[in-house]
Amino acid sequence: MLNNKNAVIYGASPSLGGAVAREMARAGARLFVTNRRIELAEEVARQIRSDGGNAQAAQVDALDEASVQTHLDEISQTAGSVDISFNLVGIPVIQNISLTEINVNDFVDPVAMAMRTHFITAIAAAKIMIRQGGGVILTLTATPGGIGYPKVAGFGPACSAIETFSKNLATETGPSGVRVVNIRSAGSLDSRPFKEAVAANGPGMEQVIEKMKNDTMLKDLPSMNDIASTAVFLASGMAAKITGVTIDITAGTTVALNYRTTADLGTM
């Protein structure tokens, strides 16, 4: 599905970024995996090559415009094109605190950081893709980007900002054949953040996860492979007419499901 495509992944690591990169490589793409910590990107590249894929690792700071531009220019010159760009850089955010109690910096910083890295990487890719006449820019958000969610602090607004940016960029780049699509996930239990949370919180976290599952229509959460497979489809020619939208892979998450009591249902 992605034969002869050059794909750049920002925030590549053994977690979700690595899962996406590996799936794209299996689909035939040549991967350029990056991370601020070169050892994480190199680990992903080694995994891809050991599976018979084609991958190169580079140390790139996705919050630094010059770092991103230099790397993309090199790919464009040596590989011939930049066909896919996917920013999966993790943004530190303080959650589990109400908006009436969080301080302004803890609320605003995740939004500013998310916008900075997505603007830098997407615009740098878009300029190259416009010149070459096509390409796909992917972004990733989470459930709070689409529905109200309590105690997510600056994370919810950051997700909403990414989704709006993705949609607006699609309107400007579409005439040049460049597609921009956002993926909204509910979080993957097999990803590093969830595994670390379970290890740190034990039974308490398992109750939270069960609540998250019960808040979905399918009573489940998407795996990293679900996200990776969707990314491959969206980057391929099979999705040639999909742009300017958010693809929801939250298993049908809605906070409304678990906020009705038995008494409420009896009066409907």
Side-chain angles (χ1 to χ4, degrees):
M1 292 172 68
L2 301 181
N3 280 344
N4 303 316
K5 301 294 185 182
N6 296 317
V8 184
I9 306 292
Y10 298 97
S13 72
S15 190
L16 180 58
V20 170
R22 290 192 297 273
E23 197 65 23
M24 286 189 174
R26 292 189 190 102
R30 179 182 181 184
L31 269 296
F32 296 86
V33 292
T34 77
N35 198 297
R36 292 178 68 180
R37 295 173 55 190
I38 184 61
E39 66 272 15
L40 296 179
E42 286 178 338
E43 183 175 347
V44 173
R46 281 195 299 271
Q47 291 172 347
I48 291 172
R49 290 194 294 266
S50 68
D51 289 338
N54 191 334
Q56 297 179 26
Q59 185 172 23
V60 175
D61 182 354
L63 287 161
D64 182 81
E65 191 172 9
S67 179
V68 169
Q69 192 64 60
T70 298
H71 180 245
L72 283 187
D73 286 343
E74 181 181 336
I75 294 172
S76 183
Q77 292 166 11
T78 60
S81 65
V82 176
D83 304 297
I84 302 162
S85 173
F86 199 173
N87 187 325
L88 290 164
V89 172
I91 302 297
V93 58
I94 294 175
Q95 298 190 69
N96 297 319
I97 184 171
S98 69
L99 292 172
T100 56
E101 296 182 5
I102 194 170
N103 70 58
V104 64
N105 287 336
D106 288 341
F107 175 77
V108 171
D109 287 352
V111 182
M113 188 176 294
M115 281 293 89
R116 180 178 180 83
T117 183
H118 280 279
F119 182 85
I120 288 173
T121 58
I123 296 305
K127 289 178 179 179
I128 293 174
M129 291 175 180
I130 288 170
R131 291 198 300 268
Q132 66 191 24
V136 181
I137 298 170
L138 300 176
T139 56
L140 180 76
T141 57
T143 304
I147 60 176
Y149 222 85
K151 296 189 175 181
V152 292
F155 183 59
C159 288
S160 296
I162 293 168
E163 293 184 10
T164 299
F165 170 65
S166 172
K167 179 170 55 180
N168 289 351
L169 182 59
T171 68
E172 297 185 8
T173 61
S176 298
V178 180
R179 297 190 292 112
V180 189
V181 187
N182 179 69
I183 298 171
R184 185 191 297 152
S185 167
S188 303
L189 297 183
D190 54 347
S191 65
R192 177 187 52 78
F194 273 86
K195 288 181 178 179
E196 290 179 351
V198 170
N201 299 291
M205 187 60 193
E206 302 219 355
Q207 292 177 4
V208 171
I209 290 173
E210 202 56 35
K211 169 67 165 59
M212 292 176 68
K213 287 183 176 181
N214 286 331
D215 272 342
T216 74
M217 298 173 189
L218 296 178
K219 307 303 179 188
D220 202 358
L221 294 174
S223 67
M224 292 195 298
N225 188 62
D226 290 324
I227 307 303
S229 297
T230 302
V232 168
F233 165 72
L234 291 173
S236 76
M238 295 181 71
K241 297 301 183 287
I242 298 177
T243 192
V245 295
T246 286
I247 303 299
D248 191 293
I249 317 177
T250 65
T253 300
T254 165
V255 291
L257 291 179
N258 266 357
Y259 287 86
R260 289 190 181 277
T261 65
T262 302
D264 292 331
L265 293 174
T267 61
M268 291 182 65

